[in-house]
Amino acid sequence: MTRDIIKSGTAAWCDQYHFTMAGAWFDCGKHLEHKTSEAFFRRMPHNCGYVLTSGLGEFLEWIDNWHISRENLDYLRSCKNRIGGQLFSNEFLDFLKGQKLSVDIKAVPEGEVVFAGEPLLSVSGPCWQVEMVEAAYLNVINAQCPIATKAARTVQASAADGKKRPVLEMGLRRATELGGLTSSRAALIGGCAQTSNVYAAQHLNLQGAGTMAHSWILSFEREVDAFKAYLHSYPYDGILLVDTYDTRQGLKNAIRASDETGIPLLGVRIDSGDLAYWSKEARNMLNQSGHEQTLLIASNDLDEFVIENLVAVQKAEYDVFGAGTKIVTADDFEALGGVYKTKEYLGQDKIKIAAGKTTVPGKTNVLRVVEKGLLAGDIIVRQDNNWLYNGKINGELTSYKLNSPEHQSKKFAAGTEAYPLLKDVVIGGHVKPEYLNLGIEQLRQRAKSSLSQLGEEYKRLRNPHLYGVGQEAQIEQRQTELIRQFQQWAGR
């Protein structure tokens, strides 16, 4: 399970080439040379105006526990080259014994909205160690950010008519991760109110949520008897699933079970059929029988598009939605495709030049500009410049190549409110305590706050407006200069 990897701090959470490069750097005497690498994703997923970050907490917990174990060394010693000899030298393996991380890491905290092209993580330190953390981070964010984003969009859709409704995450059985912990965690950060996953709820110190399955009803000869027995067992939590045989009769039996036992009916769940139609039928039947307070809960492969249509177009009467498969698999969400690239080596800016993959040179951060309480644009800047003073831009700042279709450059006046997106989270290999063991409610509130600052045009479920991300003038000039230098060198 993922928790075992995180708690163990195993250095094996990487790809083979991370160790082979480390061994080659060691053989060359370059292994302690300083470098900086950064993680980002290149393109926004289709129909997504933002991506919500999730997963940094697990990554930092792994960093906090990171070490090279005897088992790691035994495995590396067993690796063979193509002719059957030992792949890694004994000198290199001896060097690895007892090694601890000494890297510095800046990262975007969990629950922030982010956009294509801007750094999410910046790692500096000995080159072999900088490489050793790549796969773990990308594994985490490429898996969890889509789920958190899908959950946020689903929660948004549930209030498309202005009425807030909780969305329950119920996807354990369809999750691609054993145990479903990180899937549930990401969905909760994205705004899901509760999870049906007991393992996740227990680990995150939450109250789990759930109703019943059809198998409960099938264990009785009569549906009404199944409902009565359940109400007797859970007199304060009686939510009955009414579509096992016939939804209309199931609703009648739920009402009868409550009336004959005298136990209030907390809610009924509908898991099939025309959900909009049955919500109105159910509400009418419940109201006419004196069960006006009974909640209506919908499930059945729900996603943001289905829910938005139910509440905004068809005026369905549901009070709660249960979503599973489409959230935990981030259904229809393109792979995030996060990458990790060298940005600086021995103090020199580095750049990759390739069609559609040219990188921004040098160590960078992001200034997030805020105007009238809303996010007004992100500017990629060099880390080593003092761009802010007391939370304001220190001097006029020009941003080039903003993604917004209206302009190729934009000037931000001195005194404009802004803040750095990447925060110091690891210093000299030690995780800052304030970023460890954050409660899910704290992370959920951060996500809610970040989303509240994003204009509605960027949160549209279809064809969202393109948020502006640019790079400041010095980076623009440096990128152009390095590309020109490479072209001259390649033409020799």
Side-chain angles (χ1 to χ4, degrees):
M1 289 188 181
T2 304
R3 286 299 306 162
D4 295 331
I5 295 175
I6 291 169
K7 292 174 68 176
S8 72
T10 176
W13 196 6
C14 67
D15 290 309
Q16 177 85 348
Y17 70 65
H18 293 118
F19 274 115
T20 56
M21 290 194 302
W25 273 321
F26 177 83
D27 292 341
C28 296
K30 292 172 63 69
H31 56 295
L32 298 182
E33 292 180 349
H34 192 276
K35 71 173 287 191
T36 296
S37 290
E38 294 178 357
F40 58 95
F41 59 96
R42 293 190 176 100
R43 290 174 293 277
M44 294 299 294
H46 178 64
N47 267 334
C48 282
Y50 66 89
V51 168
L52 191 65
T53 55
S54 178
L56 181 67
E58 284 97 345
F59 172 73
L60 292 180
E61 188 177 350
W62 173 73
I63 289 286
D64 198 47
N65 294 319
W66 190 94
H67 70 288
I68 297 178
S69 67
R70 177 180 297 177
E71 290 78 10
N72 296 150
L73 292 171
D74 289 344
Y75 171 75
L76 295 174
R77 199 177 304 278
S78 73
C79 292
K80 304 298 182 184
N81 59 29
R82 295 299 177 184
I83 61 172
Q86 187 171 302
L87 180 62
F88 297 103
S89 70
N90 288 326
E91 292 79 9
F92 173 59
L93 297 176
D94 287 341
F95 163 75
L96 290 179
K97 290 179 182 177
Q99 286 290 332
K100 299 291 185 183
L101 289 179
S102 58
V103 296
D104 297 327
I105 300 178
K106 295 179 182 290
V108 179
E110 289 185 276
E112 286 277 5
V113 292
V114 292
F115 307 92
E118 54 192 30
L120 309 181
L121 185 84
S122 180
V123 186
S124 299
C127 62
W128 78 275
Q129 291 195 0
V130 171
E131 290 295 320
M132 292 300 296
V133 305
E134 172 188 10
Y137 181 75
L138 294 181
N139 184 205
V140 166
I141 62 117
N142 281 329
Q144 292 193 44
C145 289
I147 295 172
T149 307
K150 187 78 172 177
R153 287 161 59 87
T154 304
V155 171
Q156 172 190 327
S158 72
D161 62 349
K163 176 184 175 182
K164 293 184 178 180
R165 300 171 179 85
V167 175
L168 310 181
E169 181 272 307
M170 302 165 61
L172 172 60
R173 289 167 293 172
R174 311 293 168 77
T176 57
E177 170 212 4
L178 187 64
L181 172 59
T182 60
S183 302
S184 295
R185 182 180 182 276
L188 290 164
I189 290 174
C192 287
Q194 289 177 291
T195 178
S196 68
N197 184 344
V198 175
Y199 175 56
Q202 177 181 325
H203 176 74
L204 299 171
N205 296 315
L206 300 174
Q207 176 69 44
T211 56
M212 59 166 59
H214 297 290
S215 59
W216 168 262
I217 294 150
L218 294 173
S219 68
F220 289 79
E221 287 297 318
R222 298 194 309 162
E223 186 177 52
V224 68
D225 293 333
F227 288 163
K228 287 181 179 180
Y230 199 83
L231 290 176
H232 278 299
S233 290
Y234 305 104
Y236 305 105
D237 302 276
I239 298 176
L240 306 180
L241 183 60
V242 296
D243 67 329
T244 302
Y245 304 112
D246 176 273
T247 303
R248 190 178 304 280
Q249 187 60 48
L251 286 163
K252 291 179 180 178
N253 284 335
I255 293 167
R256 177 184 169 187
S258 177
D259 289 345
E260 291 183 1
T261 61
I263 300 172
L265 187 57
L266 178 60
V268 296
R269 177 162 72 99
I270 301 172
D271 189 51
S272 62
D274 186 330
L275 293 178
Y277 170 82
W278 283 116
S279 76
K280 295 170 185 177
E281 289 293 297
R283 186 75 276 158
N284 184 55
M285 292 172 66
L286 289 165
N287 288 352
Q288 288 184 358
S289 60
H291 294 269
E292 296 88 348
Q293 302 304 312
T294 298
L295 300 173
L296 287 182
I297 302 162
S299 54
N300 188 30
D301 280 344
L302 301 179
D303 65 9
E304 67 266 45
F305 302 108
V306 173
I307 291 175
E308 181 187 47
N309 183 269
L310 281 172
V311 302
V313 179
Q314 301 189 70
K315 308 301 180 184
E317 300 275 357
Y318 292 107
D319 303 292
V320 181
F321 290 106
T325 303
K326 300 295 180 71
I327 286 183
V328 299
T329 63
D331 180 72
D332 79 6
F333 198 109
E334 298 174 31
L336 189 63
V339 296
Y340 188 81
K341 300 299 178 185
T342 298
K343 305 296 293 297
E344 183 183 272
Y345 198 96
L346 291 178
Q348 299 297 311
D349 293 341
K350 295 293 180 179
I351 187 172
K352 175 180 178 178
I353 302 174
K357 295 184 176 182
T358 299
T359 58
V360 175
K363 294 193 298 185
T364 63
N365 202 327
V366 178
L367 292 189
R368 175 151 288 175
V369 181
V370 181
E371 295 178 346
K372 297 179 181 179
L374 293 176
L375 306 186
D378 287 359
I379 312 168
I380 300 173
V381 299
R382 297 186 70 91
Q383 281 187 26
D384 52 5
N385 286 18
N386 183 19
W387 298 106
L388 296 177
Y389 180 74
N390 287 338
K392 310 287 185 181
I393 293 178
N394 186 17
E396 185 179 80
L397 181 57
T398 301
S399 178
Y400 286 87
K401 293 184 178 178
L402 281 167
N403 291 332
S404 173
E406 289 86 13
H407 45 249
Q408 288 297 309
S409 65
K410 184 174 181 178
K411 295 185 184 296
F412 293 94
T416 302
E417 182 183 352
Y419 64 90
L421 195 54
L422 275 73
K423 311 294 186 184
D424 291 313
V425 295
V426 178
I427 304 296
H430 299 287
V431 181
K432 297 182 72 173
E434 59 265 36
Y435 291 100
L436 283 174
N437 303 316
L438 294 179
I440 202 70
E441 186 58 33
Q442 182 178 352
L443 296 172
R444 185 158 42 194
Q445 288 303 315
R446 181 186 290 157
K448 183 178 179 181
S449 175
S450 183
L451 285 165
S452 72
Q453 290 184 295
L454 189 63
E456 294 303 316
E457 65 271 27
Y458 305 112
K459 293 186 283 192
R460 291 196 295 257
L461 299 183
R462 295 174 180 84
N463 303 315
H465 195 61
L466 192 61
Y467 184 84
V469 177
Q471 55 192 27
E472 52 87 16
Q474 289 185 27
I475 290 181
E476 167 77 8
Q477 293 165 4
R478 182 60 173 155
Q479 187 179 48
T480 301
E481 175 188 344
L482 290 174
I483 292 173
R484 186 183 301 115
Q485 288 177 6
F486 175 80
Q487 291 170 337
Q488 293 173 348
W489 173 83
R492 291 177 182 174

